[in-house]
Amino acid sequence: MARARSRIAGAISVFGELLITAGVVLGLFVVYSLWWTNVLADREASEQGDRIRNDWANSGPGDLDTKDGIGFLHVPAMSDGEILVKKGTDTKELNDGIAGYYTEPIKSALPSDDKGNFTLAAHRDGHGAKFHNIHKVKDGDPIVFETKDTWYVYKVYKTLPKTSKFNVDVLQPVPKESGKKKPGRYITLTTCTPIYTSDYRYIVWGELQRTEKVDTQRTPPAELR
């Protein structure tokens, strides 16, 4: 009987040690996913951002779209600093700590287009988490997009805190779910929700208010001062 109890105690001890080890491994994975990937992504995004600004400084007039990115998104309410924007919403690209504009299922307009919806996606958690604080954006808040030559100043007019991840209507040129019925110059921010999940999508819509030419000092518009 004593030998049997000893075996049981030994098995319980081994099982407990396995649970502790599993807990440590899980904890390290969480740290990697939610912290270290942010560090790596921020570093990569900073390097990419420096490259595009150097290109701007050392090149003449050219097309809006470049291999390194089309510009920088500024959303003061999110307090995430400037966000480099590149073509496409492929996970591999977004993992670099950037935002991407949609090429599918509905092709995004660009800010310079006369009409359309400039539609963007970025991670909410891990890999830079550039849209982590999207829930802080409210109606009336500014969204500014910076290109080599122009500041595009938008104003938020509607948010949709939860919708299906299969809802592509939010990306339409005229995003009717936002209440708009006529073509205009819109911007749409999309990311996963709730925080730490990808079950649904969080949407923010804005409408262009004005543009400003970039001066030699790159003085930002009043909304960013």
Side-chain angles (χ1 to χ4, degrees):
M1 181 66 71
R3 183 177 299 175
R5 284 198 295 267
S6 176
R7 288 175 180 173
I8 293 173
I12 292 174
S13 176
V14 170
F15 183 65
E17 289 177 1
L18 289 174
L19 286 178
I20 292 172
T21 301
V24 170
V25 171
L26 180 60
L28 290 174
F29 177 75
V30 170
V31 169
Y32 171 80
S33 298
L34 300 180
W35 178 72
W36 185 242
T37 61
N38 286 342
V39 172
L40 296 178
D42 286 342
R43 183 183 303 165
E44 177 63 25
S46 178
E47 291 176 357
Q48 292 189 40
D50 289 344
R51 283 200 299 270
I52 189 174
R53 289 197 179 279
N54 287 335
D55 287 344
W56 287 354
N58 297 315
S59 62
D63 293 334
L64 175 65
D65 199 359
T66 73
K67 64 179 181 179
D68 291 323
I70 64 170
F72 297 90
L73 184 72
H74 305 263
V75 189
M78 292 202 298
S79 303
D80 286 323
E82 65 181 26
I83 304 169
L84 177 62
V85 175
K86 299 180 71 174
K87 180 179 181 179
T89 55
D90 182 86
T91 299
K92 182 179 178 181
E93 291 286 350
L94 298 186
N95 283 355
D96 285 342
I98 65 168
Y101 65 88
Y102 284 86
T103 58
E104 57 181 5
I106 297 174
K107 186 178 179 180
S108 172
L110 293 177
S112 56
D113 292 340
D114 292 336
K115 303 290 182 182
N117 189 7
F118 183 36
T119 55
L120 304 170
H123 285 303
R124 195 168 189 191
D125 299 293
H127 302 287
K130 294 305 181 182
F131 284 0
H132 183 78
N133 291 321
I134 196 170
H135 58 284
K136 295 183 178 181
V137 181
K138 307 300 181 186
D139 291 359
D141 284 347
I143 297 174
V144 179
F145 188 69
E146 173 192 2
T147 70
K148 177 180 177 180
D149 302 313
T150 307
W151 300 95
Y152 296 86
V153 182
Y154 299 85
K155 183 168 74 172
V156 175
Y157 66 88
K158 184 71 177 289
T159 62
L160 181 60
K162 181 180 177 181
T163 190
S164 168
K165 57 186 173 183
F166 304 109
N167 181 4
V168 300
D169 287 340
V170 300
L171 308 176
Q172 293 288 353
V174 180
K176 295 181 180 179
E177 285 187 75
S178 72
K180 296 296 181 180
K181 302 183 183 302
K182 297 180 180 179
R185 298 173 74 176
Y186 306 113
I187 189 170
T188 301
L189 311 183
T190 72
T191 195
C192 296
T193 200
I195 294 175
Y196 308 124
T197 77
S198 59
D199 296 338
Y200 299 95
R201 295 294 180 266
Y202 198 112
I203 313 296
V204 170
W205 286 292
E207 185 170 16
L208 187 71
Q209 301 298 296
R210 71 182 191 281
T211 63
E212 294 183 12
K213 286 297 181 183
V214 172
D215 61 25
T216 55
Q217 288 78 39
R218 299 200 74 83
T219 305
E223 287 80 0
L224 299 182
R225 294 176 202 162

